[in-house]
Amino acid sequence: MTNLDWLEKPVRNINNEYLVAAEQRQNTLTKPPGSLGRMEEVAVQLAAMQATDKPEINNIQIAVFAADHGIAEENVSAFPQVVTLEMVKNFAQGGAAISVLAKQLAANLEVINLGTVSEYEDMPGVVMQRIAPGTQNFSKQAAMSRSQLLEALNAGKEAVYRARENAAQLFIGGDMGIANTTSATAIACALLNEKAEKLAGPGTGLDKQGVSHKASVIEKSLALHQHKMKTPVDILQCVGGFEIAALTGAYLSCAQNGLPVVIDGFISSVAALVAIKINPQARQWMFFSHASAEPGHAMVIQAMQAKPLLDMNMRLGEASGAAILVPLMRLACALQNNMATFEQASVSSKD
Amino acid sequence: MTNLDWLEKPVRNINNEYLVAAEQRQNTLTKPPGSLGRMEEVAVQLAAMQATDKPEINNIQIAVFAADHGIAEENVSAFPQVVTLEMVKNFAQGGAAISVLAKQLAANLEVINLGTVSEYEDMPGVVMQRIAPGTQNFSKQAAMSRSQLLEALNAGKEAVYRARENAAQLFIGGDMGIANTTSATAIACALLNEKAEKLAGPGTGLDKQGVSHKASVIEKSLALHQHKMKTPVDILQCVGGFEIAALTGAYLSCAQNGLPVVIDGFISSVAALVAIKINPQARQWMFFSHASAEPGHAMVIQAMQAKPLLDMNMRLGEASGAAILVPLMRLACALQNNMATFEQASVSSKD
């Protein structure tokens, strides 16, 4: 068993000189200053993260963490629990949304099974890091033990290690786990000191009654654990999930290693919020891809003072919302790197 | 001189059978129904437009129409008029934002010079269709004659003809013309019966005083022409621009020929609004790419009951906002075409 010390290790700082240089270059390019809006912002941030005057995203690592949730037995999801493992297979076989997107982006897709309820044989394309057959039902006891939590956090760190071995220039984490919006909502409520009814949403498709039941399950669980949840890590242990903890570990590790990250939707944003609560400096390595249709997302995003770049009304998870941002980031880099300056193109500047 | 009759020719209808089939397929794919949000909407629309069960966007034609505006002499732009032609050169030489984007998208970029103030020699990559050395100053007289308007509208139609010869599956129109937000704002005010102060914005970068001056120039011009502006076509003639009229002509021609269109920002949206006022059915062939930072855009978009897919705070024109939507449309197609169904992947569906 390792310990938690690595979580709080200092993160790298983004390079301020390259940030300023990239901003200055934007103002010399043949367009009214600022007229490329958030595309400029993305390119400038990336230049500062990569400490370069030619930001680029060729190699991308997408890591989708999958795990089951004991809380599923409280009827908080529209889909049966067996879907988690079925979708792991679907990821590996190329049929899921993120599989299709990863192929289109020429990204390296890795699926990490941290513990589905059903046992299964090894399958190609899936990294097997089984912590347990899902978490415990957190409406009755802590979702996981301390050592299980450490394993999950480390699984995230190890995925980042593999991403770096692949020379990834961008890390995207994703999630799969039936009932994981219940866990993520519980974490968010605990971190933000909010009521479950304010954050709970339909997830994969609950009706109004289902959402209300889900909120009451969360509220009851938060009451059960309230005296044990003193730190963000405690909260992960009490009401978290293996894949959520792995995402938190991955985001912290990316920031420590200076690897830019794109945050996906609700689950990923909650994991990012935990990471930021552990180490606020980790935020500077994050791009926020999209506003999820899951209603709790807006509050989690607000707590990070973020403004997602896209709003496509998506609510799938699997890193799918983060993946669709990638081509825009690539275009932002191309604009930053390849546009002519006013001087080069002999274009007159502002009167 | 041709006449205007072609503008009102019926447009093609999108194929409702393929629309329904594409929607049905979305609901069989391995994801909660609707969870890909607007990505589903894009793919389904495109399937209906292309009358196919495998929508795709390989060939793209981007046509940027450039022209000067007589109204520029009223000091309504932050940039000197000579920039229009300088940017035409920059488009052709690959240094402008749209040049960089077109290259990244492997789109065919065509620049059409409909009339810059400065004369110049032919240059490779620029289609020369000089109507006049810019429009007249519409605060004093009509921006153009009826025959000039026809030429401009036809230039749009001809660009669509060339796009179809290139087997384009998507048409994107763009604009370049110093002072053209003044013209576009005047058109929008006339069409929507709104005051200029409500719609006028900074364009390429006017300060508050500049915007206020611009609004008063527009208000005065609208008063001058009010009795002549009985139809959308009259409005184009009185306060329009060659490039704006060409965009209107192009959008109508696309709809008549069943070629899907992506609308860019403020200028393009005003041209689209004119097209829709001439022939409301043209709207069904339009994707609305992004919410421009130009303040009048929101009202123009609202008048078309549209909801742009992106909001990147861009305000450049040149078709740049439309271009950045293309990779998302391509990903939407890939998801529609390549994801596995629940049955294919043996994934359990909703409880």
Side-chain angles (χ1 to χ4, degrees):
Chain A
M1 188 176 121
T2 58
N3 67 38
L4 284 167
D5 294 348
W6 73 268
L7 296 177
E8 291 175 40
K9 274 194 192 160
V11 312
R12 284 232 211 143
N13 284 317
I14 63 169
N15 188 305
N16 201 50
E17 280 170 45
Y18 282 104
L19 183 92
V20 171
E23 277 173 345
Q24 282 173 346
R25 177 168 160 80
Q26 278 290 342
N27 290 334
T28 67
L29 299 177
T30 44
K31 60 182 170 57
S35 61
L36 285 172
R38 302 197 74 188
M39 296 292 275
E40 298 184 16
E41 183 188 315
V42 166
V44 166
Q45 282 297 114
L46 204 58
M49 291 170 172
Q50 296 183 341
T52 177
D53 49 14
K54 296 264 184 192
E56 60 168 31
I57 312 174
N58 295 318
N59 292 336
I60 299 169
Q61 184 93 351
I62 302 177
V64 179
F65 300 96
D68 269 319
H69 291 258
I71 196 71
E73 73 189 28
E74 300 297 327
N75 291 314
V76 288
S77 175
F79 280 81
Q81 194 169 39
V82 65
V83 166
T84 307
L85 179 60
E86 290 169 348
M87 282 302 293
V88 166
K89 289 181 191 163
N90 197 26
F91 294 143
Q93 285 163 6
I98 192 60
S99 322
V100 171
L101 294 171
K103 190 173 172 191
Q104 294 295 314
L105 302 173
N108 187 31
L109 174 62
E110 185 179 84
V111 184
I112 302 116
N113 188 336
L114 298 174
T116 47
V117 165
S118 343
E119 299 251 10
Y120 68 95
E121 293 158 31
D122 279 358
M123 57 179 91
V126 179
V127 178
M128 193 59 186
Q129 283 188 291
R130 193 181 185 79
I131 299 170
T135 52
Q136 300 297 316
N137 179 341
F138 66 66
S139 74
K140 296 181 177 160
Q141 62 188 103
M144 57 191 106
S145 69
R146 202 65 163 188
S147 79
Q148 287 175 334
L149 173 60
L150 290 172
E151 271 190 78
L153 289 161
N154 282 334
K157 185 171 72 167
E158 288 159 21
V160 173
Y161 182 83
R162 291 190 296 274
R164 294 175 64 221
E165 284 208 311
N166 288 346
Q169 295 164 305
L170 192 69
F171 181 88
I172 295 178
D175 67 284
M176 177 71 220
I178 292 301
N180 67 5
T181 60
T182 302
S183 172
T185 304
I187 296 168
C189 288
L191 286 173
L192 304 177
N193 199 23
E194 291 286 355
K195 290 281 175 204
E197 61 179 15
K198 216 166 152 184
L199 274 92
T204 52
L206 290 177
D207 60 14
K208 205 175 158 186
Q209 204 183 341
V211 174
S212 166
H213 169 67
K214 179 172 162 181
S216 75
V217 169
I218 294 168
E219 207 52 60
K220 182 184 136 194
S221 306
L222 291 171
L224 174 69
H225 299 293
Q226 65 177 328
H227 297 299
K228 288 179 198 153
M229 299 193 296
K230 294 192 171 62
T231 67
V233 168
D234 295 338
I235 293 168
L236 273 184
Q237 186 183 340
C238 288
V239 298
F242 298 145
E243 81 284 38
I244 302 175
L247 285 168
T248 297
Y251 296 151
L252 287 168
S253 179
C254 282
Q256 289 164 352
N257 288 290
L259 181 57
V261 161
V262 182
I263 308 297
D264 187 30
F266 183 58
I267 308 294
S268 299
S269 294
V270 169
L273 180 59
V274 178
I276 289 171
K277 292 282 183 186
I278 293 172
N279 192 334
Q281 296 302 315
R283 190 190 177 291
Q284 63 188 313
W285 291 93
M286 298 175 183
F287 291 96
F288 295 89
S289 61
H290 79 116
S292 166
E294 182 69 10
H297 192 227
M299 290 189 70
V300 174
I301 281 292
Q302 199 183 3
M304 296 187 281
Q305 294 165 318
K307 195 181 166 213
L309 287 147
L310 302 173
D311 183 359
M312 300 293 280
N313 204 29
M314 289 168 70
R315 52 178 172 81
L316 175 58
E318 300 179 8
S320 57
I324 68 162
L325 182 64
V326 168
L328 296 195
M329 298 180 77
R330 284 175 167 162
L331 291 178
C333 291
L335 289 163
Q336 171 89 29
N337 300 338
N338 304 340
M339 277 182 73
T341 63
F342 281 98
E343 201 180 330
Q344 286 167 339
S346 303
V347 172
S348 309
S349 55
K350 229 163 151 172
D351 278 341
Chain B
M1 188 176 122
T2 58
N3 67 38
L4 285 167
D5 294 350
W6 73 268
L7 296 177
E8 291 175 39
K9 273 194 193 159
V11 312
R12 284 231 209 142
N13 284 316
I14 63 169
N15 188 306
N16 201 52
E17 278 170 48
Y18 282 104
L19 184 92
V20 172
E23 277 173 346
Q24 282 173 346
R25 177 167 159 79
Q26 278 290 342
N27 290 334
T28 67
L29 299 177
T30 44
K31 60 183 171 56
S35 61
L36 286 172
R38 301 197 74 188
M39 296 292 275
E40 298 184 17
E41 182 188 317
V42 166
V44 167
Q45 282 295 117
L46 205 57
M49 291 170 173
Q50 296 183 341
T52 177
D53 50 13
K54 296 263 183 192
E56 59 168 32
I57 311 175
N58 295 318
N59 292 337
I60 298 168
Q61 184 93 351
I62 303 178
V64 179
F65 300 97
D68 270 319
H69 291 257
I71 196 71
E73 70 189 32
E74 300 296 327
N75 291 314
V76 288
S77 176
F79 279 82
Q81 195 170 38
V82 65
V83 166
T84 306
L85 179 59
E86 289 169 349
M87 283 301 294
V88 166
K89 289 180 191 163
N90 196 26
F91 294 143
Q93 285 163 5
I98 192 59
S99 322
V100 171
L101 294 171
K103 189 173 173 191
Q104 294 294 314
L105 301 173
N108 187 31
L109 174 63
E110 184 179 82
V111 183
I112 302 116
N113 188 336
L114 299 173
T116 46
V117 165
S118 344
E119 298 250 11
Y120 67 95
E121 292 158 34
D122 279 358
M123 58 178 90
V126 179
V127 178
M128 193 58 186
Q129 283 187 292
R130 193 181 184 79
I131 299 170
T135 51
Q136 300 296 315
N137 179 341
F138 65 67
S139 74
K140 296 181 177 160
Q141 62 188 102
M144 57 191 106
S145 68
R146 202 66 163 188
S147 79
Q148 287 175 336
L149 172 60
L150 290 172
E151 272 191 77
L153 288 160
N154 282 333
K157 185 172 71 169
E158 287 159 22
V160 173
Y161 182 82
R162 291 190 297 273
R164 294 174 63 221
E165 284 206 310
N166 288 345
Q169 295 164 306
L170 193 70
F171 180 89
I172 295 179
D175 68 284
M176 176 70 220
I178 292 302
N180 69 4
T181 60
T182 303
S183 172
T185 304
I187 296 167
C189 287
L191 286 172
L192 303 177
N193 199 23
E194 290 287 355
K195 291 280 175 204
E197 63 179 13
K198 216 166 151 185
L199 274 94
T204 52
L206 290 177
D207 59 15
K208 204 175 159 185
Q209 203 182 342
V211 175
S212 166
H213 169 67
K214 179 173 163 181
S216 75
V217 168
I218 294 168
E219 208 52 61
K220 181 183 135 193
S221 307
L222 291 171
L224 174 68
H225 299 292
Q226 66 176 330
H227 297 299
K228 288 180 197 152
M229 299 195 295
K230 295 193 170 59
T231 67
V233 169
D234 296 337
I235 293 168
L236 273 185
Q237 186 183 338
C238 289
V239 298
F242 298 144
E243 82 283 38
I244 301 175
L247 285 167
T248 296
Y251 296 151
L252 287 168
S253 179
C254 281
Q256 288 164 352
N257 288 289
L259 181 56
V261 161
V262 183
I263 308 297
D264 186 31
F266 183 58
I267 309 293
S268 300
S269 295
V270 168
L273 180 60
V274 178
I276 289 170
K277 292 283 182 185
I278 292 172
N279 193 334
Q281 295 302 313
R283 189 191 179 291
Q284 63 188 311
W285 292 93
M286 298 176 183
F287 290 96
F288 295 89
S289 61
H290 79 117
S292 166
E294 182 68 11
H297 193 229
M299 289 188 70
V300 174
I301 281 291
Q302 197 183 5
M304 296 186 282
Q305 294 165 318
K307 197 182 165 210
L309 288 147
L310 302 173
D311 183 0
M312 299 293 280
N313 204 29
M314 290 168 70
R315 51 181 172 82
L316 175 57
E318 301 179 6
S320 57
I324 69 163
L325 181 65
V326 168
L328 296 195
M329 297 179 77
R330 284 175 167 160
L331 291 178
C333 292
L335 290 163
Q336 170 89 30
N337 300 338
N338 304 339
M339 277 182 71
T341 63
F342 281 98
E343 201 181 329
Q344 286 167 339
S346 303
V347 173
S348 309
S349 54
K350 228 162 152 171
D351 277 339

